[in-house]
């Protein structure tokens, strides 16, 4: 079984590349935080608590990145194993037990995790050193807390295995005969929809109960808002395939008449809704967090400036200082969440590459029928854009909602203290928001380059080859 | 049958691989097809039928020799121009996997024309759909069509741009005998009534019997050429 897994990875390294990168980025971020904070802390002779506070704050963002990573890795394994259903079914048919198939796929996940860890280690230490060099802390020597890093590497393995467990279990339980058909059975799908609806509904319900105190003057409004947000976030992610599917479908129908190339791309986006929605969900999560932070910071800035102007009059110097502080906060938060966006976009590239492998014959047929290589690349680009734009737009809406919840909670908490209602205006930095969509679209376009090149390599002769 | 040559290969050689592993799939083969004829290419497996068709249709480039289609030397064209020729001048019918699964029958049929930025001629479109009995099936996806229906959609797609030549590689290979007969009769009608040139690769002598002329290939060379004696009614 070990040999089988090893062969699979050796012969199709490109299929695993994106997963390795996703693990590497997730682990790399964790290691980076450890290396940087330890080096910086040692250089400045900082107290343990001060270092820890920075570290935990940064780790929160690393955790968000890792969460995105889990989603991307899980999606990758699902696609990979679905594409290998025949092979696994054959294994089962010639006598491999469910356990053996699980072992084979599990070993693959473990190997991917190990290679990803290695990448993360190299990335984390070198970037950590680079940042410390930038701030000058490196002059006092690089400090690497190995025990912490071992733990982070272990976490990297763990998150790969957690992400892979459901797809691997699903693959292992495929009946030898059922594995010979490509489309998953209807019952399995229905079960997924029902299970998702129930979990999403329950969390939404708990969230609604939790959110009620947020709307009255309440000492603990923020606490309730955080708890409710957590519940709503679970709903948002668990239910994502359910609501993203009709959105994608609608968008696909809307853009289809534009041109035959757009129609082909739209058709590809909705042909495999599970895969596409899972890909978009990772981006959705990252964008939601970015927008929540952005709206929170922008509204906070507005509120502080307004209040201060009321009390001490508008002092340009003071306003400039406040603006600078909030700008720094926003840039910092964006940079830290950008890693999650990056991982989500690796996921987009990965889904496209795996789809291209699956559609080799179809793309060859398109070429035979007169689709230019440039049009084939354009098709991949539009696929990437459709996925990214849906993920980003839904993420922005969700982010606005969470920020509104947070701002309302803070307003009501302050109101409780002050004894009278106060109004914190909800403000978005539109330039930033539009910029974010543009950045997502641009990154999606970049993510489509490699899959597009690969698709364009499809020789039209392949379409005629009899399987 | 007029005697204008619509498609031709001159001293076409195709070698796969290099050195010891080199396989000569086509060996300085020359062939001509007149406009308005129905041609069959037969031969044992591995004799080079598919390779010949790929080269003639501009899907693959020969190692040496020239290929002409409708007065254009395909072997002199860059890939981009070749692709244009394929969608405007050539119709394809493959053995299986002929249709794009995400497009409806109607969208599959008009795809090559749309890629060329053209609209189908409504009267021609209607008559093609009507004659193939596809009117009821236009909104269906390929997965909702039977094998015979899928092949008929492929024929409609091939016919619609009024191509110079339709190339068909084992078009009946995946069909039962009743559907095969129907398809071959239809192709025959297209040649006889519309003057459509068709080049069909097949290993089935019954299918080849529908053609005006049959080329027998072996080892990348034409062994015999056989003309149909009595015209079919
Ligand atoms: N892509 C390829 N690479 C290497 N050899 C090939 C390739 N395609 C065809 N051949 C070889 O060329 C010869 C002719 O093949 P082909 O044209 O497919 O024959 P047919 O269609 O008559 O069965 C065969 O020996 C085949 O093995
Ligand atoms: Mg062949």
């Amino acid at each position: 079984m070990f040999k089988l897994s090893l062969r699979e990875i050796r012969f199709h390294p490109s299929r695993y590349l994106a997963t390795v990168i996703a693990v590497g980025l997730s682990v790399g971020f964790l290691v980076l935080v450890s290396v940087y904070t330890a080096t910086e802390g040692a250089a400045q002779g900082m107290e343990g608590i001060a270092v820890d506070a920075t570290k935990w704050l940064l780790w929160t963002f690393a955790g968000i990145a890792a969460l995105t990573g889990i989603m991307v890795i899980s999606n990758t394994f699902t696609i990979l194993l679905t594409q290998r259903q025949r092979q696994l079914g054959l294994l089962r048919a010639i006598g491999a037990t469910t356990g053996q198939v699980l072992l084979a796929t599990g070993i693959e996940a473990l190997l991917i995790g190990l290679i990803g860890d290695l990448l993360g280690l190299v990335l984390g230490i070198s970037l950590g050193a680079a940042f410390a060099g930038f701030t000058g802390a490196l002059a006092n020597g690089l400090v690497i807390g190995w025990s912490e890093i071992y733990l982070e590497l272990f976490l990297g393995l763990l998150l790969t295995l957690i992400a892979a467990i459901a797809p691997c279990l699903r693959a292992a339980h495929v009946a030898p005969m059922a594995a010979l058909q490509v489309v998953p059975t209807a019952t399995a799908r229905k079960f997924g929809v029902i299970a998702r609806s129930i979990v999403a509904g329950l969390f939404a319900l708990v969230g609604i109960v939790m959110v009620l105190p947020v709307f009255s003057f309440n000492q603990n409004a923020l606490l309730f808002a955080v708890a409710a947000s957590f519940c709503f976030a679970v709903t948002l992610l668990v239910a994502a395939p359910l609501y993203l599917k009709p959105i994608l479908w609608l968008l696909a129908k809307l853009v289809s008449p534009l041109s035959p190339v757009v129609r082909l791309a739209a058709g590809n986006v909705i042909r495999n809704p599970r895969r596409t929605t899972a890909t978009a969900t990772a981006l959705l999560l990252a964008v939601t967090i970015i927008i929540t932070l952005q709206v929170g910071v922008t509204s906070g800035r507005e509120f502080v400036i307004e209040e201060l102007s009321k009390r001490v009059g508008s002092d340009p110097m003071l306003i400039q200082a406040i603006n600078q502080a909030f700008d720094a906060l926003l840039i910092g938060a964006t940079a830290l969440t950008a890693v999650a966006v990056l991982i989500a976009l690796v996921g987009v590239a990965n889904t496209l590459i795996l789809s291209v492998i699956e559609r080799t014959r179809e793309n060859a047929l398109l070429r035979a029928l007169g689709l230019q290589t440039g049009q084939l690349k354009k098709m991949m680009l539009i696929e990437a854009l459709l996925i990214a734009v849906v993920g980003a737009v839904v993420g922005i809406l969700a982010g606005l909602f969470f920020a509104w919840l947070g701002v309302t909670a803070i307003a009501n908490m302050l109101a409780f203290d002050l004894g009278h209602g106060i109004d914190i205006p909800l403000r978005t930095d539109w330039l930033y928001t539009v910029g974010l969509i543009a950045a997502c679209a641009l990154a999606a376009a970049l993510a489509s380059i490699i899959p597009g090149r690969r698709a364009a390599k499809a020789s039209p002769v392949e379409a005629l080859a009899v399987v | 049958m007029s005697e204008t040559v619509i498609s031709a290969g001159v001293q076409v050689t195709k070698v796969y691989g290099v050195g010891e592993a080199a396989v000569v799939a086509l060996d300085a083969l020359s062939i001509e097809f007149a406009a308005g004829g129905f041609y069959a290419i037969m031969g044992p497996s591995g004799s080079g039928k598919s390779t010949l068709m790929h080269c003639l249709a501009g899907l693959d480039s020969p190692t040496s020799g020239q290929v002409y289609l409708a007065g254009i030397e395909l072997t002199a064209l860059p890939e981009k121009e070749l692709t244009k020729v394929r969608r405007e001048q050539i119709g394809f019918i493959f053995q299986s996997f002929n249709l794009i699964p995400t497009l409806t029958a109607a969208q599959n049929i008009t795809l090559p024309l749309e890629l060329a930025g053209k609209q189908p001629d409504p009267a021609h479109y209607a008559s093609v759909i009507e004659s193939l009995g596809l009117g009821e099936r236009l909104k269906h996806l390929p997965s909702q069509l039977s094998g015979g229906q899928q092949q008929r959609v492929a024929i409609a797609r091939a016919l619609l741009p009024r191509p110079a030549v339709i190339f068909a590689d084992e078009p009946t290979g995946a069909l039962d005998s009743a559907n095969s007969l129907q398809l071959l009769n239809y192709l025959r009608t297209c040649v006889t009534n519309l003057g459509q040139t068709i080049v069909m690769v097949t290993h089935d002598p019954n299918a080849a019997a529908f053609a005006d002329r049959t080329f027998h290939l072996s080892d990348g060379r034409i062994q015999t050429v056989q003309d149909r004696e009595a015209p079919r009614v």
Side-chain angles (χ1 to χ4, degrees):
Chain A
M1 282 299 142
F2 182 72
K3 261 193 199 152
L4 197 77
S5 311
L6 213 58
R7 283 179 85 83
E8 195 61 37
I9 295 177
R10 254 214 351 253
F11 284 108
H12 305 290
S14 66
R15 300 187 184 194
Y16 295 90
L17 186 65
T19 325
V20 169
I21 294 176
V23 179
L25 287 175
S26 306
V27 175
F29 199 170
L30 288 167
V31 174
L32 164 66
V33 171
S34 290
V35 171
Y36 174 70
T37 49
T39 307
E40 192 74 37
Q44 302 191 355
M46 275 203 303
E47 292 296 314
I49 293 178
V51 176
D52 278 353
T54 328
K55 196 150 70 181
W56 281 103
L57 179 71
L58 293 175
W59 265 342
T60 310
F61 286 98
I64 293 167
L67 194 62
T68 322
I70 289 185
M71 293 167 65
V72 168
I73 296 162
S74 168
N75 191 29
T76 310
F77 269 97
T78 305
I79 303 174
L80 273 175
L81 294 176
T82 313
Q83 288 184 347
R84 271 167 55 201
Q85 262 202 6
R86 280 161 192 275
Q87 187 202 340
L88 296 174
L90 188 65
L91 269 181
R92 293 275 287 114
I94 60 172
T97 62
T98 305
Q100 283 172 318
V101 175
L102 190 62
L103 190 67
T105 51
I107 290 172
E108 258 165 63
L110 201 65
L111 286 174
I112 296 301
L114 279 173
I115 304 171
D117 262 358
L118 207 63
L119 176 69
L121 187 66
V122 174
L123 266 180
I125 292 182
S126 44
L127 282 179
F131 279 131
F134 186 68
T135 60
L138 193 61
N140 292 47
L142 191 67
V143 183
I144 300 177
W146 282 106
S147 56
E148 213 167 272
I149 288 177
Y150 287 141
L151 202 67
E152 286 161 343
L153 294 183
F154 175 72
L155 268 176
L157 273 186
L158 200 65
L159 80 88
T160 314
L161 287 177
I162 289 173
I165 191 92
C168 289
L169 274 174
R170 236 179 285 136
H173 281 95
V174 161
M177 282 319 288
L180 297 177
Q181 69 205 34
V182 189
V183 207
T185 48
T187 47
R189 266 197 193 161
K190 233 179 235 154
F191 175 75
V193 171
I194 294 172
R196 274 179 192 283
S197 308
I198 292 175
V199 174
L202 278 178
F203 271 92
L205 219 62
V206 177
I208 289 172
V209 173
M210 298 268 220
V211 87
L212 291 177
V214 173
F215 299 104
S216 56
F217 297 177
N218 191 323
Q219 198 176 2
N220 297 319
L222 191 60
L223 215 61
F224 279 108
V226 169
S229 295
F230 174 77
C231 292
F232 287 141
V234 172
T235 302
L236 187 75
L237 295 182
V238 171
L242 307 180
Y243 61 80
L244 286 181
K245 192 175 153 183
I247 295 175
L248 274 165
W249 190 85
L250 203 70
L251 185 64
K253 291 292 158 207
L254 269 174
V255 298
S256 278
L258 290 178
S259 85
V261 175
V262 175
R263 181 185 304 145
L264 287 166
N268 288 335
V269 166
I270 53 173
R271 80 199 293 179
N272 225 321
R274 193 168 163 180
R275 182 183 299 181
T276 325
T277 53
T279 311
T281 308
L283 188 64
L284 187 160
L285 173 71
V287 170
T288 302
I289 290 164
I290 286 203
I291 289 294
T292 308
L293 292 172
Q294 182 258 116
V295 176
V297 169
T298 312
S299 303
R301 174 207 315 245
E302 202 79 10
F303 178 66
V304 168
I305 291 177
E306 254 172 49
E307 286 299 301
L308 276 179
S309 312
K310 261 188 248 162
R311 273 167 220 181
V312 297
S314 65
D315 172 0
M317 291 289 278
L318 186 62
I319 288 177
Q320 196 192 356
I322 293 169
N323 269 333
Q324 271 172 355
F326 275 98
D327 276 344
L329 200 62
L330 187 56
I331 290 170
T334 306
L336 291 170
T337 333
V339 181
V341 176
L342 193 65
I343 294 176
L345 287 160
V346 169
V348 173
N350 186 49
T351 302
L352 292 182
I353 286 190
L354 294 177
S355 299
V356 166
I357 292 172
E358 206 170 55
R359 303 199 305 244
T360 306
R361 263 193 110 188
E362 189 178 320
N363 289 337
L365 175 64
L366 284 170
R367 292 279 292 114
L369 294 178
L371 193 77
Q372 302 281 11
T373 47
Q375 291 177 304
L376 202 55
K377 286 179 187 165
K378 199 167 130 198
M379 181 180 90
M380 299 305 300
L381 168 70
I382 297 168
E383 277 183 61
L385 286 180
L386 287 174
I387 298 174
V389 164
V390 166
V393 169
V394 176
I396 286 173
L397 293 178
L400 282 172
F401 171 75
F402 287 125
W404 170 70
L405 218 55
V407 168
T408 310
I410 290 171
N412 284 336
M413 213 164 69
L414 290 177
F416 178 85
D417 285 343
L418 297 170
H420 61 85
I422 61 160
D423 183 37
I424 304 181
L426 193 70
R427 289 288 149 80
T428 26
D429 188 334
W430 285 110
L431 199 66
Y432 179 100
T433 308
V434 172
L436 183 66
I437 296 185
C440 283
L442 186 71
L446 291 176
S448 80
I449 288 180
I450 296 174
R453 286 228 178 117
R454 209 183 154 128
K457 268 198 284 182
S459 119
V461 173
E462 278 174 69
L464 303 116
V466 180
V467 266
Chain B
M1 200 198 299
S2 84
E3 279 308 307
T4 333
V5 172
I6 190 86
S7 162
V10 180
Q11 296 282 314
V12 177
T13 298
K14 178 76 185 179
V15 183
Y16 288 111
V18 282
E20 302 250 322
V23 175
V24 181
L26 295 176
D27 188 1
L29 182 150
S30 294
I31 197 164
E32 276 189 358
F33 305 97
F38 190 177
Y39 298 92
I41 298 173
M42 288 193 69
S45 181
S47 57
K49 305 184 294 291
S50 296
T51 307
L52 175 60
M53 190 190 121
H54 298 161
C55 290
L56 290 170
L59 289 169
D60 207 350
S61 47
T63 313
S64 67
Q66 294 88 44
V67 170
Y68 299 89
L69 189 123
I72 309 164
E73 189 191 338
L74 298 188
T75 32
L77 290 184
E79 175 55 34
K80 203 167 177 170
E81 295 302 311
L82 213 51
T83 307
K84 264 192 201 162
V85 171
R86 281 203 302 269
R87 68 187 180 203
E88 286 167 14
Q89 302 277 9
I90 299 175
F92 287 103
I93 306 168
F94 303 130
Q95 174 173 347
S96 60
F97 201 84
N98 244 310
L99 307 177
I100 300 300
T102 52
L103 299 182
T104 64
Q107 290 168 343
N108 263 290
I109 292 171
T110 53
L111 182 64
L113 271 179
E114 282 189 69
L115 288 175
K118 290 180 181 161
Q119 290 293 320
D121 164 14
H124 183 46
Y125 180 77
S127 85
V128 166
I129 299 299
E130 152 91 58
S131 64
L132 284 161
L134 285 170
E136 308 276 280
R137 301 270 174 255
L138 288 177
K139 287 207 152 56
H140 290 50
L141 290 172
S143 57
Q144 299 163 320
L145 299 174
S146 72
Q149 287 165 345
Q150 288 182 26
Q151 287 308 73
R152 276 186 275 149
V153 172
I155 297 175
R157 178 189 64 204
L159 279 172
L160 198 60
R162 301 183 200 269
V165 182
I166 290 180
F167 288 100
D169 195 359
E170 305 268 7
T172 58
L175 298 182
D176 60 35
S177 54
N179 273 308
S180 296
L181 195 66
Q182 198 191 11
L183 183 140
L184 290 162
N185 269 318
Y186 189 81
L187 293 183
R188 182 69 247 176
T189 320
C190 291
V191 175
T192 312
N193 296 354
L194 305 174
Q196 176 65 58
T197 316
I198 298 180
V199 176
M200 171 176 72
V201 167
T202 182
H203 63 253
D204 177 8
N206 295 322
F210 281 79
D212 299 312
R213 178 173 287 180
T214 303
F215 298 93
H216 292 267
L217 249 63
S218 87
D219 294 330
R221 273 181 248 193
I222 297 173
Q223 295 302 320
T224 51
V225 181
Q226 185 185 1
D227 281 343
R228 199 177 57 196
E229 300 99 34
R232 198 172 271 266
V233 192

